[in-house]
Every structure is written in structure tokens, then in C-alpha cells.
Amino acid sequence: VDDLGKYVKNAKITEQGKSGRLNGLNTYSVSGTGEKGGKPVAWDLTVVGGKKAVYVVSTGAPDTFAKHEAAYASLIKGIRELY
């Protein structure tokens, strides 16, 4: 979450992190609010562990962020480890 400051300024966690499993891989997700380009944003950070970790950061206007939640979830669910 510390590196999130590269993308989102004044980041504040609004939903504490959750660990889980996806397609046999460990996951960790956390979300919050902050600023990007001087405008308020909602953000979500999901880390998917494998041989190499994948970090997926999503940002959007707070009032429209939920509208795209299904597409974001679909993207995350498609992550698999390749052998």
C-alpha cells in the first residue's frame, strides 16, 4: 500500500485489507479514497501472489467507481498463473 502514493495522493484506507484465494493464488485487497490530478478518487488495490506478484490498481471518480466494479472483478478473476 505504501507504493500507492505514486498513483494516488493523500490515500486513506476506507476498507481494511482482506486476504483470500483466487485460482489457487493468494490475494490481498484493500480500498480507499484519495486524490489524483487534484480531484477526489476512490481506489482499490489487489495483489495476486504467484511466482511473481501482480498488482492491480483501479482508480475512479467516487460517484462512478461502483458502476465499473463488475468489470474490475472480472479482470481480477481472469488472473491465473502460467506454467
Side-chain angles (χ1 to χ4, degrees):
V1 175
D2 294 337
D3 287 341
L4 184 65
K6 295 176 185 175
Y7 309 100
V8 177
K9 302 297 178 202
N10 302 318
K12 292 183 178 68
I13 295 173
T14 59
E15 188 174 325
Q16 291 300 317
K18 293 183 267 183
S19 296
R21 301 266 307 155
L22 174 69
N23 300 326
L25 302 169
N26 292 321
T27 62
Y28 180 79
S29 295
V30 62
S31 58
T33 60
E35 296 175 5
K36 188 171 183 180
K39 296 183 180 181
V41 294
W43 56 266
D44 184 86
L45 167 64
T46 301
V47 180
V48 181
K51 291 178 184 172
K52 293 192 175 189
V54 174
Y55 293 77
V56 182
V57 179
S58 176
T59 62
D63 56 338
T64 62
F65 194 76
K67 182 170 96 171
H68 302 286
E69 191 171 355
Y72 180 73
S74 178
L75 171 76
I76 298 297
K77 288 178 184 175
I79 297 173
R80 290 176 170 48
E81 189 163 37
L82 301 176
Y83 298 96

Coordinates of all heavy atoms in Angstrom, one line a residue:
V1 N 0.8 -1.2 0.0 CA 0.0 0.0 0.0 C 0.9 1.3 0.0 O 0.5 2.3 -0.5 CB -1.0 0.0 1.2 CG1 -1.8 1.3 1.3 CG2 -1.9 -1.2 1.2
D2 N 2.1 1.2 0.5 CA 3.0 2.3 0.6 C 3.3 2.9 -0.8 O 3.3 4.1 -1.0 CB 4.3 2.0 1.3 CG 4.1 1.7 2.7 OD1 3.1 2.1 3.3 OD2 4.9 1.0 3.3
D3 N 3.4 2.0 -1.8 CA 3.7 2.4 -3.2 C 2.5 3.1 -3.9 O 2.7 3.7 -4.9 CB 4.2 1.3 -4.0 CG 5.6 0.9 -3.6 OD1 6.3 1.7 -3.0 OD2 6.0 -0.3 -4.0
L4 N 1.3 3.0 -3.3 CA 0.2 3.5 -3.9 C 0.3 5.1 -4.0 O -0.3 5.7 -4.9 CB -1.1 3.2 -3.0 CG -2.4 3.7 -3.5 CD1 -2.8 2.9 -4.8 CD2 -3.5 3.4 -2.5
G5 N 1.1 5.7 -3.2 CA 1.4 7.1 -3.2 C 1.9 7.6 -4.6 O 1.8 8.8 -4.9
K6 N 2.5 6.7 -5.3 CA 2.9 7.0 -6.7 C 1.8 7.3 -7.6 O 1.9 8.0 -8.6 CB 3.8 5.9 -7.3 CG 5.0 5.6 -6.5 CD 5.7 4.4 -7.2 CE 6.9 4.0 -6.4 NZ 7.5 2.7 -6.9
Y7 N 0.6 6.8 -7.3 CA -0.6 6.9 -8.2 C -1.7 7.8 -7.6 O -2.4 8.5 -8.3 CB -1.1 5.6 -8.5 CG -0.1 4.6 -9.0 CD1 0.5 3.7 -8.2 CD2 0.3 4.7 -10.3 CE1 1.4 2.8 -8.7 CE2 1.3 3.8 -10.8 CZ 1.9 2.9 -10.0 OH 2.8 2.0 -10.4
V8 N -1.8 7.7 -6.2 CA -2.9 8.4 -5.5 C -2.3 9.2 -4.4 O -1.6 8.6 -3.6 CB -3.9 7.4 -5.0 CG1 -5.0 8.1 -4.2 CG2 -4.5 6.6 -6.1
K9 N -2.6 10.5 -4.3 CA -2.1 11.3 -3.3 C -3.1 11.3 -2.1 O -4.3 11.2 -2.3 CB -1.9 12.8 -3.8 CG -0.9 12.9 -4.9 CD 0.5 12.4 -4.6 CE 1.4 12.4 -5.7 NZ 2.5 11.6 -5.6
N10 N -2.6 11.5 -0.9 CA -3.4 11.6 0.3 C -4.3 10.4 0.4 O -5.5 10.5 0.8 CB -4.3 12.9 0.3 CG -3.4 14.1 0.2 OD1 -2.4 14.2 0.9 ND2 -3.8 15.1 -0.6
A11 N -3.8 9.2 0.1 CA -4.5 8.0 0.2 C -4.9 7.6 1.6 O -4.1 7.7 2.5 CB -3.8 6.8 -0.4
K12 N -6.2 7.3 1.8 CA -6.7 6.9 3.1 C -7.5 5.6 2.9 O -8.2 5.4 1.9 CB -7.7 7.9 3.6 CG -7.0 9.2 4.0 CD -8.0 10.2 4.6 CE -7.3 11.5 5.0 NZ -6.8 12.3 4.0
I13 N -7.2 4.6 3.7 CA -7.9 3.3 3.7 C -9.3 3.5 4.3 O -9.4 3.9 5.4 CB -7.1 2.3 4.4 CG1 -5.7 2.0 3.7 CG2 -7.8 0.9 4.5 CD1 -4.8 1.1 4.4
T14 N -10.3 3.0 3.5 CA -11.7 3.1 4.0 C -12.2 1.6 4.2 O -13.2 1.5 4.9 CB -12.6 3.8 3.0 OG1 -12.5 3.2 1.7 CG2 -12.2 5.3 2.9
E15 N -11.6 0.7 3.6 CA -11.9 -0.7 3.8 C -10.7 -1.5 4.0 O -9.8 -1.6 3.2 CB -12.7 -1.3 2.5 CG -13.2 -2.7 2.8 CD -14.1 -3.2 1.6 OE1 -14.7 -2.3 0.9 OE2 -14.0 -4.4 1.3
Q16 N -10.5 -2.0 5.3 CA -9.3 -2.7 5.7 C -9.1 -3.9 4.7 O -10.0 -4.5 4.1 CB -9.5 -3.2 7.1 CG -9.4 -2.1 8.1 CD -8.2 -1.2 8.1 OE1 -7.1 -1.8 8.0 NE2 -8.3 0.1 8.1
G17 N -7.8 -4.2 4.6 CA -7.4 -5.3 3.8 C -8.0 -6.6 4.1 O -8.3 -7.0 5.2
K18 N -8.2 -7.4 3.0 CA -8.7 -8.8 3.1 C -7.8 -9.7 2.3 O -7.5 -9.5 1.2 CB -10.1 -8.8 2.5 CG -11.2 -8.0 3.3 CD -12.5 -8.2 2.6 CE -12.8 -7.1 1.7 NZ -14.0 -7.1 1.0
S19 N -7.5 -10.8 3.0 CA -6.7 -11.9 2.3 C -7.7 -12.9 1.7 O -8.8 -13.1 2.3 CB -5.8 -12.6 3.3 OG -4.9 -11.7 3.8
G20 N -7.3 -13.6 0.7 CA -8.2 -14.6 0.1 C -7.4 -15.5 -0.9 O -6.2 -15.4 -0.9
R21 N -8.1 -16.3 -1.6 CA -7.5 -17.1 -2.6 C -8.3 -17.0 -3.9 O -9.5 -16.8 -3.9 CB -7.6 -18.6 -2.2 CG -6.9 -18.9 -0.9 CD -5.5 -19.4 -0.9 NE -5.2 -20.5 -1.8 CZ -4.0 -20.8 -2.3 NH1 -3.0 -20.0 -2.0 NH2 -3.8 -21.8 -3.0
L22 N -7.6 -17.0 -5.0 CA -8.2 -16.9 -6.3 C -7.4 -17.8 -7.3 O -6.2 -17.6 -7.5 CB -8.2 -15.5 -6.8 CG -8.6 -15.2 -8.2 CD1 -10.1 -15.5 -8.3 CD2 -8.3 -13.8 -8.7
N23 N -8.1 -18.7 -7.9 CA -7.4 -19.6 -8.9 C -6.2 -20.2 -8.3 O -5.1 -20.4 -9.0 CB -7.1 -18.9 -10.2 CG -8.4 -18.3 -10.9 OD1 -9.4 -19.0 -10.8 ND2 -8.3 -17.2 -11.5
G24 N -6.2 -20.6 -7.1 CA -5.1 -21.3 -6.4 C -4.0 -20.3 -6.0 O -2.9 -20.7 -5.5
L25 N -4.2 -19.0 -6.1 CA -3.2 -18.0 -5.7 C -3.7 -17.2 -4.5 O -4.9 -16.9 -4.4 CB -2.9 -17.0 -6.9 CG -2.4 -17.7 -8.2 CD1 -2.5 -16.7 -9.3 CD2 -1.0 -18.3 -8.0
N26 N -2.7 -16.7 -3.7 CA -3.1 -15.9 -2.6 C -3.4 -14.5 -3.1 O -2.8 -14.0 -4.0 CB -1.9 -15.8 -1.6 CG -1.7 -17.1 -0.9 OD1 -2.7 -17.8 -0.5 ND2 -0.5 -17.4 -0.6
T27 N -4.4 -13.8 -2.5 CA -4.7 -12.4 -2.8 C -4.8 -11.6 -1.6 O -5.0 -12.1 -0.5 CB -6.1 -12.4 -3.6 OG1 -7.1 -12.8 -2.7 CG2 -6.1 -13.2 -4.8
Y28 N -4.7 -10.3 -1.8 CA -4.8 -9.3 -0.7 C -5.5 -8.1 -1.4 O -4.9 -7.6 -2.4 CB -3.5 -8.9 -0.1 CG -3.7 -7.9 1.0 CD1 -4.1 -8.3 2.3 CD2 -3.3 -6.6 0.8 CE1 -4.3 -7.3 3.3 CE2 -3.5 -5.6 1.8 CZ -3.9 -6.0 3.0 OH -4.1 -5.1 4.0
S29 N -6.6 -7.6 -0.9 CA -7.2 -6.4 -1.4 C -7.5 -5.4 -0.3 O -7.8 -5.7 0.8 CB -8.6 -6.8 -2.1 OG -8.4 -7.6 -3.1
V30 N -7.4 -4.1 -0.7 CA -7.6 -3.0 0.2 C -8.2 -1.9 -0.7 O -7.8 -1.7 -1.8 CB -6.3 -2.6 1.0 CG1 -5.3 -2.1 0.1 CG2 -6.6 -1.6 2.1
S31 N -9.0 -1.0 -0.1 CA -9.5 0.1 -0.9 C -9.6 1.4 0.0 O -9.6 1.3 1.2 CB -10.9 -0.3 -1.5 OG -11.8 -0.6 -0.5
G32 N -9.8 2.5 -0.7 CA -9.9 3.7 0.0 C -10.2 4.9 -0.9 O -10.7 4.7 -2.0
T33 N -9.8 6.1 -0.4 CA -10.1 7.3 -1.2 C -8.8 8.1 -1.2 O -7.8 7.8 -0.5 CB -11.2 8.2 -0.5 OG1 -10.8 8.5 0.8 CG2 -12.5 7.5 -0.5
G34 N -8.7 9.1 -2.1 CA -7.5 10.0 -2.2 C -7.7 11.0 -3.3 O -8.9 11.3 -3.6
E35 N -6.6 11.5 -3.9 CA -6.7 12.5 -4.9 C -5.8 12.0 -6.1 O -4.7 11.5 -5.8 CB -6.2 13.8 -4.4 CG -7.1 14.4 -3.3 CD -6.5 15.7 -2.8 OE1 -5.5 16.2 -3.3 OE2 -7.1 16.2 -1.8
K36 N -6.2 12.3 -7.3 CA -5.4 12.0 -8.4 C -5.6 13.2 -9.4 O -6.7 13.5 -9.7 CB -5.8 10.7 -9.1 CG -4.9 10.3 -10.2 CD -5.2 8.9 -10.7 CE -4.2 8.5 -11.8 NZ -4.4 7.2 -12.3
G37 N -4.5 13.9 -9.7 CA -4.7 15.1 -10.6 C -5.5 16.2 -9.9 O -6.2 17.0 -10.6
G38 N -5.4 16.2 -8.6 CA -6.1 17.3 -7.8 C -7.6 17.0 -7.7 O -8.3 17.8 -7.1
K39 N -8.1 15.9 -8.1 CA -9.5 15.5 -8.0 C -9.7 14.3 -7.1 O -8.8 13.4 -7.0 CB -10.1 15.2 -9.4 CG -10.1 16.4 -10.3 CD -10.7 16.1 -11.6 CE -10.7 17.3 -12.5 NZ -11.3 17.1 -13.8
P40 N -10.8 14.3 -6.4 CA -11.1 13.1 -5.5 C -11.3 11.8 -6.3 O -11.9 11.8 -7.3 CB -12.3 13.5 -4.7 CG -13.0 14.5 -5.5 CD -11.9 15.2 -6.3
V41 N -10.7 10.7 -5.7 CA -10.9 9.4 -6.4 C -11.1 8.4 -5.3 O -10.8 8.5 -4.2 CB -9.6 9.0 -7.2 CG1 -9.4 9.9 -8.4 CG2 -8.4 8.9 -6.3
A42 N -11.8 7.3 -5.7 CA -11.9 6.1 -5.0 C -10.8 5.1 -5.6 O -10.6 5.2 -6.8 CB -13.3 5.5 -5.1
W43 N -10.2 4.3 -4.8 CA -9.2 3.4 -5.4 C -9.4 2.0 -4.8 O -9.9 1.8 -3.7 CB -7.8 3.9 -5.1 CG -7.4 4.2 -3.7 CD1 -7.5 5.4 -3.1 CD2 -6.9 3.2 -2.7 NE1 -7.1 5.3 -1.8 CE2 -6.8 4.0 -1.5 CE3 -6.7 1.9 -2.7 CZ2 -6.3 3.3 -0.4 CZ3 -6.2 1.3 -1.6 CH2 -6.0 2.0 -0.4
D44 N -8.9 1.0 -5.5 CA -8.8 -0.4 -5.0 C -7.5 -0.9 -5.4 O -7.0 -0.7 -6.6 CB -9.9 -1.2 -5.6 CG -9.9 -2.6 -5.0 OD1 -10.5 -2.8 -3.9 OD2 -9.3 -3.5 -5.6
L45 N -6.8 -1.6 -4.5 CA -5.5 -2.3 -4.8 C -5.7 -3.7 -4.5 O -6.1 -4.1 -3.4 CB -4.4 -1.7 -3.9 CG -3.1 -2.4 -3.9 CD1 -2.4 -2.5 -5.3 CD2 -2.1 -1.9 -2.9
T46 N -5.4 -4.6 -5.5 CA -5.4 -6.0 -5.3 C -4.1 -6.6 -5.7 O -3.6 -6.3 -6.8 CB -6.5 -6.7 -6.2 OG1 -7.8 -6.1 -5.8 CG2 -6.6 -8.2 -6.0
V47 N -3.5 -7.4 -4.8 CA -2.3 -8.0 -5.1 C -2.6 -9.5 -5.2 O -3.2 -10.1 -4.3 CB -1.3 -7.8 -3.9 CG1 0.1 -8.5 -4.2 CG2 -1.0 -6.3 -3.7
V48 N -2.1 -10.1 -6.3 CA -2.3 -11.5 -6.5 C -0.9 -12.2 -6.6 O 0.0 -11.8 -7.3 CB -3.0 -11.8 -7.9 CG1 -3.2 -13.3 -8.1 CG2 -4.3 -11.1 -8.0
G49 N -0.7 -13.1 -5.6 CA 0.7 -13.7 -5.5 C 0.8 -14.9 -6.3 O -0.1 -15.7 -6.5
G50 N 2.0 -15.2 -6.8 CA 2.4 -16.3 -7.6 C 3.9 -16.4 -7.6 O 4.5 -15.9 -6.7
K51 N 4.4 -16.9 -8.7 CA 5.9 -16.8 -8.9 C 6.3 -15.4 -8.9 O 7.4 -15.0 -8.4 CB 6.3 -17.5 -10.1 CG 6.1 -19.0 -10.1 CD 6.5 -19.7 -11.3 CE 6.2 -21.2 -11.2 NZ 6.4 -21.9 -12.5
K52 N 5.5 -14.5 -9.5 CA 5.7 -13.1 -9.4 C 4.4 -12.4 -9.1 O 3.4 -12.8 -9.6 CB 6.2 -12.5 -10.8 CG 7.6 -13.0 -11.1 CD 8.1 -12.2 -12.3 CE 9.6 -12.7 -12.5 NZ 10.2 -11.8 -13.5
A53 N 4.4 -11.5 -8.2 CA 3.2 -10.8 -7.7 C 2.6 -9.9 -8.8 O 3.4 -9.3 -9.6 CB 3.4 -10.0 -6.5
V54 N 1.3 -9.8 -8.9 CA 0.7 -8.9 -9.9 C -0.1 -7.9 -9.0 O -0.9 -8.3 -8.1 CB -0.3 -9.7 -10.8 CG1 -1.1 -8.7 -11.6 CG2 0.4 -10.7 -11.6
Y55 N 0.2 -6.6 -9.2 CA -0.5 -5.5 -8.5 C -1.5 -4.9 -9.5 O -1.1 -4.5 -10.6 CB 0.5 -4.5 -8.1 CG 1.4 -4.9 -7.0 CD1 2.5 -5.7 -7.4 CD2 1.3 -4.6 -5.7 CE1 3.4 -6.2 -6.4 CE2 2.2 -5.0 -4.7 CZ 3.2 -5.8 -5.1 OH 4.1 -6.2 -4.1
V56 N -2.8 -4.9 -9.1 CA -3.8 -4.2 -9.9 C -4.4 -3.1 -9.1 O -4.9 -3.2 -8.1 CB -4.9 -5.2 -10.3 CG1 -5.9 -4.6 -11.2 CG2 -4.4 -6.5 -10.9
V57 N -4.2 -1.9 -9.7 CA -4.7 -0.6 -9.0 C -5.8 -0.1 -9.9 O -5.6 0.2 -11.1 CB -3.6 0.4 -8.9 CG1 -4.1 1.7 -8.2 CG2 -2.4 -0.2 -8.0
S58 N -6.9 0.2 -9.3 CA -8.0 0.8 -10.0 C -8.4 2.1 -9.3 O -8.5 2.2 -8.1 CB -9.2 -0.1 -10.0 OG -10.4 0.4 -10.6
T59 N -8.6 3.2 -10.1 CA -9.0 4.5 -9.6 C -10.1 5.0 -10.4 O -10.2 4.7 -11.6 CB -7.8 5.5 -9.6 OG1 -7.4 5.7 -10.9 CG2 -6.7 5.0 -8.7
G60 N -11.0 5.8 -9.8 CA -12.1 6.4 -10.5 C -12.8 7.4 -9.6 O -12.6 7.5 -8.4
A61 N -13.6 8.2 -10.3 CA -14.4 9.2 -9.5 C -15.3 8.5 -8.5 O -15.9 7.4 -8.9 CB -15.3 10.0 -10.5
P62 N -15.3 8.9 -7.3 CA -16.1 8.2 -6.3 C -17.6 7.9 -6.6 O -18.1 6.9 -6.3 CB -16.0 9.2 -5.1 CG -14.8 10.0 -5.3 CD -14.7 10.1 -6.8
D63 N -18.2 8.8 -7.4 CA -19.6 8.6 -7.7 C -19.8 7.7 -8.8 O -21.0 7.2 -9.0 CB -20.3 10.0 -8.0 CG -19.6 10.7 -9.1 OD1 -18.4 10.5 -9.4 OD2 -20.3 11.6 -9.7
T64 N -18.8 7.3 -9.5 CA -19.0 6.3 -10.6 C -18.1 5.0 -10.5 O -18.2 4.1 -11.3 CB -18.6 6.9 -12.0 OG1 -17.2 7.3 -12.0 CG2 -19.4 8.1 -12.3
F65 N -17.4 5.0 -9.4 CA -16.5 3.8 -9.2 C -17.2 2.5 -9.1 O -16.9 1.5 -9.7 CB -15.7 4.1 -7.9 CG -14.5 3.1 -7.7 CD1 -13.3 3.3 -8.5 CD2 -14.6 2.1 -6.8 CE1 -12.2 2.5 -8.3 CE2 -13.5 1.2 -6.7 CZ -12.3 1.4 -7.4
A66 N -18.3 2.5 -8.4 CA -19.1 1.3 -8.2 C -19.7 0.8 -9.5 O -19.9 -0.4 -9.7 CB -20.2 1.5 -7.2
K67 N -20.0 1.7 -10.4 CA -20.6 1.3 -11.7 C -19.6 0.4 -12.5 O -20.1 -0.5 -13.3 CB -20.8 2.6 -12.6 CG -21.5 2.4 -13.9 CD -21.9 3.7 -14.5 CE -20.8 4.2 -15.5 NZ -21.3 5.4 -16.2
H68 N -18.4 0.4 -12.3 CA -17.4 -0.4 -13.0 C -16.8 -1.5 -12.2 O -15.9 -2.2 -12.6 CB -16.2 0.5 -13.5 CG -16.7 1.6 -14.4 ND1 -17.1 1.4 -15.7 CD2 -16.9 2.9 -14.2 CE1 -17.5 2.5 -16.2 NE2 -17.3 3.5 -15.3
E69 N -17.4 -1.8 -11.0 CA -16.9 -2.8 -10.1 C -17.0 -4.2 -10.8 O -16.1 -5.0 -10.6 CB -17.7 -2.8 -8.8 CG -17.2 -3.6 -7.7 CD -17.9 -3.4 -6.4 OE1 -18.7 -2.5 -6.3 OE2 -17.5 -4.1 -5.5
A70 N -18.0 -4.5 -11.5 CA -18.1 -5.8 -12.1 C -17.0 -6.1 -13.1 O -16.5 -7.2 -13.2 CB -19.5 -6.0 -12.8
A71 N -16.7 -5.1 -13.9 CA -15.6 -5.2 -14.9 C -14.3 -5.4 -14.2 O -13.4 -6.2 -14.6 CB -15.6 -4.0 -15.8
Y72 N -14.1 -4.7 -13.1 CA -12.8 -4.8 -12.4 C -12.7 -6.2 -11.8 O -11.7 -6.9 -11.9 CB -12.8 -3.7 -11.3 CG -11.6 -3.8 -10.4 CD1 -10.3 -3.3 -10.9 CD2 -11.6 -4.2 -9.1 CE1 -9.2 -3.4 -10.1 CE2 -10.5 -4.2 -8.3 CZ -9.3 -3.8 -8.8 OH -8.2 -3.8 -8.0
A73 N -13.8 -6.7 -11.2 CA -13.8 -8.0 -10.6 C -13.6 -9.1 -11.7 O -12.8 -10.1 -11.5 CB -15.2 -8.3 -9.9
S74 N -14.1 -8.9 -12.9 CA -13.9 -9.8 -14.0 C -12.4 -9.9 -14.4 O -11.9 -10.9 -14.6 CB -14.8 -9.4 -15.2 OG -14.5 -10.3 -16.3
L75 N -11.8 -8.7 -14.4 CA -10.4 -8.6 -14.7 C -9.5 -9.4 -13.7 O -8.7 -10.2 -14.0 CB -9.9 -7.2 -14.8 CG -8.4 -7.0 -14.9 CD1 -7.9 -7.2 -16.3 CD2 -8.0 -5.6 -14.5
I76 N -9.8 -9.2 -12.4 CA -9.1 -9.9 -11.3 C -9.3 -11.4 -11.4 O -8.4 -12.2 -11.3 CB -9.5 -9.4 -10.0 CG1 -9.2 -7.9 -9.8 CG2 -8.9 -10.2 -8.8 CD1 -7.8 -7.5 -9.9
K77 N -10.5 -11.8 -11.7 CA -10.8 -13.3 -11.7 C -10.1 -14.0 -12.9 O -9.9 -15.2 -12.9 CB -12.3 -13.5 -11.8 CG -13.1 -13.2 -10.5 CD -14.6 -13.3 -10.7 CE -15.3 -12.9 -9.4 NZ -16.7 -13.0 -9.6
G78 N -9.7 -13.2 -13.9 CA -9.1 -13.8 -15.0 C -7.6 -14.0 -14.9 O -6.9 -14.6 -15.7
I79 N -7.0 -13.6 -13.7 CA -5.6 -13.7 -13.5 C -5.3 -15.2 -13.0 O -5.9 -15.7 -12.1 CB -5.1 -12.7 -12.4 CG1 -5.2 -11.3 -12.9 CG2 -3.6 -13.0 -12.0 CD1 -4.9 -10.3 -11.9
R80 N -4.4 -15.8 -13.8 CA -4.0 -17.2 -13.5 C -2.5 -17.3 -13.6 O -1.9 -16.6 -14.4 CB -4.7 -18.2 -14.5 CG -6.2 -18.3 -14.3 CD -6.8 -19.2 -15.3 NE -8.1 -19.6 -15.1 CZ -9.1 -18.8 -14.8 NH1 -9.0 -17.5 -14.6 NH2 -10.4 -19.3 -14.7
E81 N -2.0 -18.3 -12.9 CA -0.5 -18.5 -13.0 C -0.3 -19.4 -14.2 O -0.9 -20.4 -14.4 CB 0.0 -19.2 -11.8 CG 1.5 -19.3 -11.7 CD 2.1 -19.5 -10.3 OE1 1.4 -20.3 -9.6 OE2 3.1 -19.0 -10.0
L82 N 0.7 -19.0 -15.1 CA 1.0 -19.8 -16.2 C 2.3 -20.6 -15.9 O 3.2 -20.2 -15.3 CB 1.3 -18.9 -17.4 CG 0.2 -17.9 -17.8 CD1 0.7 -17.0 -18.9 CD2 -1.0 -18.8 -18.3
Y83 N 2.3 -21.8 -16.4 CA 3.4 -22.7 -16.0 C 4.3 -22.9 -17.2 O 4.0 -22.8 -18.3 CB 2.8 -24.1 -15.6 CG 2.0 -24.0 -14.4 CD1 0.6 -23.9 -14.4 CD2 2.6 -23.9 -13.1 CE1 -0.1 -23.7 -13.3 CE2 1.9 -23.8 -12.0 CZ 0.5 -23.7 -12.0 OH -0.2 -23.6 -10.9

